Structure formats: C-alpha cells, structure tokens
Amino acid sequence: MLHVAEAARVSVATVSALINGTATVSPELSHRIEQAIRDIGYKRNAIARSLKMGTTRTIGLTVPHITNPFFTDVVSVIQQAFDRAGYAVMLCCTDEDLNTQDDQIKLLLDRMVDGLIVARVGDGAILKRIVDDANVPVVLLDRICKGVDTDAVVLDNQRAVFDAITYLINLGHRRIGYITGTSDISPMHDRMAGYREALHAAGLPIAEELIRFGNFHEIDGYNATMQMLSSHDRPSAIFSANNPMVIGTMKAIRDIGLSCPEDISVACFDDFPWSDVFQPQLTTVAQPVQAIGEQAANLLLDRLAGNRDAPPRKLLLKGRLMIRNSCRPLGAMAQSVSA
Amino acid sequence: MLHVAEAARVSVATVSALINGTATVSPELSHRIEQAIRDIGYKRNAIARSLKMGTTRTIGLTVPHITNPFFTDVVSVIQQAFDRAGYAVMLCCTDEDLNTQDDQIKLLLDRMVDGLIVARVGDGAILKRIVDDANVPVVLLDRICKGVDTDAVVLDNQRAVFDAITYLINLGHRRIGYITGTSDISPMHDRMAGYREALHAAGLPIAEELIRFGNFHEIDGYNATMQMLSSHDRPSAIFSANNPMVIGTMKAIRDIGLSCPEDISVACFDDFPWSDVFQPQLTTVAQPVQAIGEQAANLLLDRLAGNRDAPPRKLLLKGRLMIRNSCRPLGAMAQSVSA
DNA sequence: AACGCTAATCTAAACGTTTCGATCATGTCA
DNA sequence: TGACATGATCGAAACGTTTAGATTAGCGTT
C-alpha cells in the first residue's frame, strides 16, 4: 500500500479511503490510485487488516471424522454458507479424541478465528473455558455439553432411536443387538437411552450381552457383530448407532455366512447417498443434514453480525426413519422359535 | 504481551525471548514472566506474529466437492498430515466451477496462506498468475494444468480407464456406454482417452451416442443413463467416469426396471467404503487415496520447509481395478444376439 | 585499575493496515 | 473583505508481535 501511495503521489490514508470507500476521494486521485494498484498488482494484506480490525473473517470448524457421511454433508453445507458470507473456514478433524479436540480448538483460537462450530465434543475442559471467557461465539453441533451454555443445534437422538427400535419390535424382533460408540459423548448416550426406552416400553428385557461398545470405526462394528453372531443365542436384528460401524456389521454378517435381511435384520443411524441403490437397501435414521448445517451457520453468522447478547439458543431437530428393506418381519420365525 | 511484561517488570523483548526460546532468560525473570502469563491468561496473538514473520502456518485446500468420496478421503489425509506438522487447513469447495475456484483461491491468498493444494482445477487464469508470481508454493492434485509448471500428484487416468474398459471388452461387451464430466478438466479428458484407446485397441467402433456428458452430479448420471437405456440399441455395459454419477446410473437402471449385473454391467471410477458390502458389489477403479494425500502434503511441506528452488516434481500414481460382481460375462448373450 | 568478553536485558524500529484529528484549499455568506 | 462551513487530503498513532542492535552488569586478565 505504501508503494501504491508513492506511485500515485498520495498518502496511504487516501489509498485506504478509496479501497474501503470510507471517505470521498476526488476523481483525479481515484484514477491515479487505481492505476497504481493495477501497475503494481497490489493486493491488500488481510493479516495486517485483521490485526488492526480485530477480525479475521475466518471461522473454525471441528468434526470427529470427515469421512463419516453425516459430517461430510454437514461440513459441506457449512462451508458453502460461510463462503457465501465471505468467510473462510478452517477445518479440523478430532478423530473422536478429546485431547486432539482441545489442541485443535487452541490452534484455531491462536489464529484468531471469529467464531467456532464444534461438532460432537466431549466434556472438554478447554471448551468450557473458551465459552466462559466468551471471546468468540461458539455453536455446538450434534451435542449439548453440560455446563457449556451456548448456541447449539442437535438432534432428538433419543426419540429417533426409540422410533427405530420400536419399528423393529413391531416387526416381531425380540432380541435386538445394539452397537454404540463410547457413551461419554452425548449423542451416544441419548441414543442408548432411546434403545432402552423402546425395549422397556414394549415390556422386553434388556440383555446386556446384546449391547456392544466400539470406537466409531468400521472395525469396531465388525468385531462387535462377530461376537454377537457367534453366541448361541444370537439377535435377530442389529442396530448400529453410527454409520461407519454398520459397514463392519454388514461385512461380519457376510463373512460369517449369513445374509441380510433373510437371516438378520439391520438398521443404523445416519443415512448415506447409496442407501437406496444397492441391496439390501438399508433402513436408517436420517438426520436433516442440510437444515443442521444451515441452522448452525445461521446461528454463528447472527452472532458474528453483532448479536452477541441474545440468550443461548438451542435448536432441537427431528430425525426421520427411512424404512427400506434391510429389516424383515419376524412373525413366523418368532412363533417357530417359541414353539 | 505488554501487560505480561509490565506485570513481570520486564520488557516485551524478554517475554518474547522466553516464549520463543530465542535467547536465554535468567531463571528469576523466567519465573516472574511465567507467573504473569498464568495470572493474566495470556495467549500469543498469531495474527500479529504472522504479520511480523510473514508466515501464517496455514495452507489452503480447494476441492470440487467434499461429498465425492474420493475427495473426502483425500481431504481427510491431507488435513491429518498438516495437523501433525502444526499447520491449519482452510478448506474451500469449488463446485467444479472455474470462477468459484478462482475467487476462492483469491480469498485464500488474501489470507496469506503459506501454500496451496488445488484439486481438479481447470485452466484457471488466476491459478496461472499465482504460480507464475510464485509467492506461495502450489501443489496440483488430480490434475496437471498446461502452462502451469509446478508440483503435482496425479493418477494415470488414461491407463486406469483403459484397463477397466479392456476388462469389459474381455467379458464380451461390445457396446459400452460411457458417462463423463465436462472434458475441459484433464482427468475427464484423459479418462475419455483411455476409453477410446481401449475400444480402438480391440478393433471396436466408437459409437458417439454411447458417450454422454454430465456435470459430475448424481442427476446427470441418472439422465445420461436413462437416455442410453431408452434407445433401441442399448449398451450392455456402462462405465461412469466419476463416482456420484454412478449412483444416478444405478437408480436409473432400477427405475427402468432392469437389474445389474443381470441385464446390464456397471463399473465406475473411484472406489468407496461400501463398495464390497452391498449387492451388486461395484467394480471400480480405486485411486490410492492415502498415497495421493500424503504425497501432496509432503510435496508442499517440503517446499514450506524451504526447498523452494527445486524443479517442479510430477508424481504419477497408478489406479487399481477392483473387480467385483457388477459386471458379468456376455459370451452366451453376445452369440444369441449375433445369431 | 583498565580492559575486554560474555550473558542478560532493553530500546526501538519494523510488519501493513485503519482511523482520528489536523491541515488546507475552496466557495459562501454577511 | 473577513469569517466560516465544506470537502479533500494528509500525518501519525495504533494493532501485537519479532528482532537487530544498544546497554548494562559481572567477571577474569594483564
């Protein structure tokens, strides 16, 4: 900018005024400055501007795994929304690890992001501090964090799983395997609550050996399914509380020589683009990803626009059971077993 | 930092020296400074640091669509690699649009990223300028751009499709539909070349009505497939040059009342996690996503580490045909047709 | 006692913007 | 003609760091 000012024989203040339109500049000087900008190929240094202005027009976004189709979609929507608003997005993947997440949030704050969208956080001590210090607005995604009182958009996880399990029960299933992630993360906790609630409401016992914990990855789903299917009294249906793990479930079913839905019914949380193309077409709980992403972006953009003092807003969205053909009725079979 | 210095009764230079370890600070002052940092809760301002140092420890990454599983995986690998190296990643999605891409690259450069990984770029004028001005190192991904001489990691697309089409030909297929994205983008161009080369090598004619252009999205694959299947002389196999479009192909086959592979064989570019779980298990060309992401990250990190003057390095990786059960031999059927 | 050497610390100038208040020319009004 | 409002332009301080070079103190040599 200094060079531009010199070349145009004006002060830097005038150049800045022209660029930002913050003051009127005479046509003559305007012309000289524009010429100089072109000649030199000047580009404003956004870092210096950020330093002076105290805003980077950048937000931070952390998700557990971008390869999980739910997060892929949400990230995509959020990125588009902020792109439209002229913001850049810094993306971090936490690998479901609390320490990693805290580190990455620190990394983002170091870089002076103007706001933060944090997906699926555990009870991070850092996060609590951040929100309390209230330097930047934070939106929680997919998770409400006890003690952290801030904007959030989450799914009614318990209800969604309740509906799915109830559907299986109505099909005649009595022994329903449940594969979940570690339950220190609230969606996992709430989904499990939905499972228990549905069994309870139907007057069914809860068999603890049918509940398996994994670490969100395909291999965990595989192992959990293998264990359940190897038992003498195996379940007639399996519900997986996340999407990557259900791939493991399907592979285990295949490897053990069974088939879905003939031998065993399967359903899972989170829809994916292929779900109704291949066989079996998987019955899933679909989250409204578009709405989730947009709402989260809107909440944050609203804060960034200056609405800092409004009380925290919690948005609770509803999941939708996408019934396809991976679950079959168990009427006849249930009778023959009990006979 | 000023406050810390005052509280510790030292100069800011000493504080800086301690924080960065750039000079020895006596134990006594160290202790006072550390105490002050804790008391005040001081955090270094990375923006000011970037301004002074001329480096942001941030890189920019642009991809066409993060929802395309190939790019999802690559983004994930790259993000991890830079996270390990202490860099942040700014992510942009260009939606396959050249203007969007140029805008986003400008956005990233404005923010003074230290380097850039650009996936699947067209012949962007901006990109050429950027690389020529050589302010920041650039790595091209999935694409070599004529006239832009910089580091790149790409697949041998022509060879990969040649292998896939040859496989179909060896199964007895003679009329093979080909669905591609707009061919101004080099992978699409090269893949098409592989298709033509394979037909040519087998002495088969190229039926232009079997080549359909789409815009990379599911709906385009759907429409293209519908058109081909509605003709009186429909193909016995379809190859889709990208992954989202093959979903459309499968849906069109289903909607028109045919089934794969019984009535029509299908294969496509890019593997995905579900490919061997459901039926039909799709035959695909798998790219070595892990290697691609890592190599790209390494090339850029090497430049960032100071190796600026090395000549541009082009890495050419090989695809791998993953043969599953979505393509069936056509021997008997071909005879009955020709009879 | 004068000197030089080393280690610790500080002063002040940069980095590239924005912006407040000052300056200055010009035209208007009494 | 003098006072004054208006509009355009500028000078300089500030944002929070890093760092080159200056300063100071302590200590061993001669």
Side-chain angles (χ1 to χ4, degrees):
Chain A
M1 185 181 250
L2 181 62
H3 297 124
V4 171
E6 282 170 357
R9 304 187 306 282
V10 299
S11 77
V12 290
T14 311
V15 177
S16 177
L18 177 66
I19 290 176
N20 297 307
T22 49
T24 42
V25 177
S26 70
E28 189 191 330
L29 291 204
S30 295
H31 181 258
R32 289 219 306 263
I33 293 170
E34 280 161 3
Q35 184 68 43
I37 287 177
R38 268 195 304 275
D39 289 350
I40 296 182
Y42 166 78
K43 302 212 59 188
R44 175 166 69 189
N45 182 322
I47 297 296
R49 178 164 220 264
S50 292
L51 177 59
K52 184 65 191 173
M53 305 284 277
T55 164
T56 53
R57 287 194 82 77
T58 300
I59 66 129
L61 172 60
T62 79
V63 296
H65 291 116
I66 196 186
T67 50
N68 179 327
F70 167 64
F71 290 113
T72 305
D73 287 347
V74 168
V75 167
S76 180
V77 173
I78 290 177
Q79 204 277 327
Q80 283 172 39
F82 281 96
D83 194 53
R84 275 195 301 274
Y87 280 80
V89 174
M90 286 203 196
L91 175 71
C92 290
C93 303
T94 64
D95 200 28
E96 301 278 5
D97 182 83
L98 217 58
N99 293 329
T100 308
Q101 175 178 275
D102 284 352
D103 286 348
Q104 294 186 333
I105 289 180
K106 271 189 242 165
L107 178 96
L108 292 169
L109 290 176
D110 279 354
R111 282 174 173 70
M112 302 270 119
V113 291
D114 290 344
L116 223 40
I117 297 183
V118 180
R120 196 70 150 293
V121 62
D123 278 314
I126 302 289
L127 185 79
K128 206 167 284 191
R129 278 232 312 277
I130 291 158
V131 178
D132 291 348
D133 291 357
N135 299 321
V136 301
V138 177
V139 174
L140 258 38
L141 201 72
D142 192 43
R143 161 89 166 117
I144 289 187
C145 188
K146 287 230 170 62
V148 176
D149 199 27
T150 183
D151 290 345
V153 26
V154 294
L155 198 82
D156 189 343
N157 282 293
Q158 180 165 350
R159 175 61 184 275
V161 172
F162 176 89
D163 289 349
I165 299 297
T166 299
Y167 163 74
L168 287 171
I169 293 171
N170 288 341
L171 285 180
H173 293 277
R174 292 295 170 265
R175 286 181 60 76
I176 302 172
Y178 186 80
I179 302 175
T180 177
T182 49
S183 66
D184 55 339
I185 289 175
S186 89
M188 291 300 145
H189 176 269
D190 296 347
R191 290 175 196 177
M192 172 90 87
Y195 170 76
R196 291 178 182 274
E197 184 193 354
L199 291 184
H200 185 74
L204 293 173
I206 289 170
E208 295 297 336
E209 78 273 16
L210 291 183
I211 299 176
R212 300 279 167 170
F213 294 87
N215 195 27
F216 304 97
H217 295 286
E218 178 183 324
I219 183 67
D220 301 307
Y222 185 88
N223 291 337
T225 306
M226 274 298 186
Q227 289 167 12
M228 282 196 279
L229 295 185
S230 308
S231 88
H232 66 288
D233 189 16
R234 66 173 187 234
S236 64
I238 292 181
F239 184 89
S240 168
N242 100 335
N243 199 314
M245 287 195 297
V246 87
I247 304 183
T249 293
M250 298 305 288
K251 288 190 178 170
I253 290 172
R254 179 197 62 194
D255 287 356
I256 222 165
L258 297 175
S259 69
C260 164
E262 289 76 8
D263 302 309
I264 186 158
S265 295
V266 174
C268 76
F269 215 95
D270 287 337
D271 208 24
F272 57 101
W274 317 84
S275 44
D276 60 347
V277 178
F278 297 104
Q279 294 299 330
Q281 295 172 6
L282 215 55
T283 290
T284 63
V285 174
Q287 300 198 49
V289 278
Q290 184 80 22
I292 290 175
E294 276 172 7
Q295 310 259 32
N298 286 341
L299 285 177
L300 187 52
L301 283 169
D302 180 58
R303 297 285 180 193
L304 293 175
N307 188 6
R308 297 305 257 268
D309 302 324
R313 296 157 291 188
K314 314 278 183 194
L315 270 40
L316 189 68
L317 304 184
K318 292 244 169 294
R320 188 162 153 221
L321 186 62
M322 309 295 286
I323 295 177
R324 302 202 180 89
N325 66 16
S326 66
C327 304
R328 65 153 33 175
L330 206 59
M333 187 171 156
Q335 283 169 9
S336 73
V337 163
S338 65
Chain B
M1 187 181 255
L2 182 63
H3 298 125
V4 172
E6 281 170 357
R9 302 188 306 283
V10 299
S11 77
V12 289
T14 310
V15 177
S16 177
L18 177 66
I19 290 175
N20 297 306
T22 49
T24 41
V25 176
S26 69
E28 188 191 331
L29 292 204
S30 295
H31 181 259
R32 287 218 308 263
I33 293 170
E34 280 160 3
Q35 184 68 43
I37 287 177
R38 268 195 304 276
D39 289 350
I40 296 181
Y42 165 78
K43 301 214 57 187
R44 175 165 71 188
N45 182 323
I47 297 296
R49 177 165 221 264
S50 292
L51 177 60
K52 183 66 191 169
M53 305 283 276
T55 165
T56 53
R57 288 194 83 77
T58 300
I59 66 130
L61 173 60
T62 78
V63 295
H65 292 116
I66 197 186
T67 50
N68 179 327
F70 167 65
F71 290 113
T72 305
D73 287 348
V74 169
V75 167
S76 179
V77 173
I78 289 177
Q79 203 278 328
Q80 283 172 39
F82 281 96
D83 193 55
R84 276 196 301 274
Y87 280 80
V89 174
M90 287 204 193
L91 175 71
C92 291
C93 303
T94 64
D95 200 27
E96 301 279 5
D97 182 83
L98 217 59
N99 293 328
T100 308
Q101 176 178 273
D102 284 351
D103 286 349
Q104 293 186 333
I105 289 179
K106 272 189 243 167
L107 178 97
L108 292 170
L109 289 176
D110 279 354
R111 283 172 172 71
M112 303 270 119
V113 291
D114 290 345
L116 222 40
I117 296 183
V118 180
R120 197 66 150 295
V121 63
D123 276 315
I126 302 291
L127 184 79
K128 207 167 283 191
R129 279 233 312 277
I130 293 158
V131 178
D132 291 348
D133 292 357
N135 298 320
V136 302
V138 177
V139 174
L140 257 38
L141 201 73
D142 193 42
R143 160 84 165 122
I144 289 188
C145 189
K146 285 230 171 62
V148 177
D149 199 27
T150 183
D151 289 346
V153 25
V154 294
L155 199 81
D156 188 343
N157 282 291
Q158 180 164 350
R159 175 60 185 273
V161 172
F162 177 89
D163 289 348
I165 299 297
T166 299
Y167 163 74
L168 288 171
I169 293 171
N170 288 341
L171 286 180
H173 294 277
R174 293 297 172 262
R175 287 181 61 77
I176 301 171
Y178 186 80
I179 302 175
T180 177
T182 48
S183 66
D184 56 337
I185 288 174
S186 91
M188 291 300 144
H189 176 270
D190 296 348
R191 290 175 196 177
M192 172 90 86
Y195 170 75
R196 291 176 181 275
E197 184 192 356
L199 292 184
H200 186 74
L204 292 173
I206 289 169
E208 295 297 336
E209 78 272 15
L210 291 183
I211 299 177
R212 302 277 167 170
F213 293 87
N215 195 28
F216 304 98
H217 295 287
E218 177 183 325
I219 182 67
D220 302 306
Y222 185 87
N223 292 336
T225 305
M226 274 297 185
Q227 289 167 13
M228 282 197 279
L229 295 185
S230 307
S231 88
H232 65 288
D233 189 15
R234 67 176 188 232
S236 64
I238 292 181
F239 184 89
S240 169
N242 101 336
N243 200 314
M245 288 197 295
V246 87
I247 304 183
T249 292
M250 297 305 287
K251 287 190 178 171
I253 290 172
R254 178 196 65 195
D255 287 357
I256 220 165
L258 297 176
S259 69
C260 165
E262 290 76 7
D263 303 308
I264 185 158
S265 295
V266 174
C268 76
F269 215 96
D270 286 337
D271 208 25
F272 56 102
W274 317 86
S275 46
D276 60 346
V277 178
F278 297 105
Q279 293 299 331
Q281 295 172 5
L282 215 53
T283 291
T284 64
V285 174
Q287 300 197 51
V289 279
Q290 184 82 21
I292 290 176
E294 276 173 6
Q295 310 261 31
N298 286 342
L299 285 178
L300 188 52
L301 283 169
D302 180 57
R303 297 284 181 192
L304 293 174
N307 187 6
R308 295 306 257 267
D309 301 325
R313 295 157 291 187
K314 316 278 183 192
L315 271 39
L316 188 68
L317 304 184
K318 294 244 167 291
R320 189 163 153 219
L321 185 63
M322 308 295 286
I323 295 177
R324 302 202 180 89
N325 65 16
S326 66
C327 303
R328 64 152 35 176
L330 206 59
M333 187 172 156
Q335 284 169 6
S336 71
V337 163
S338 65

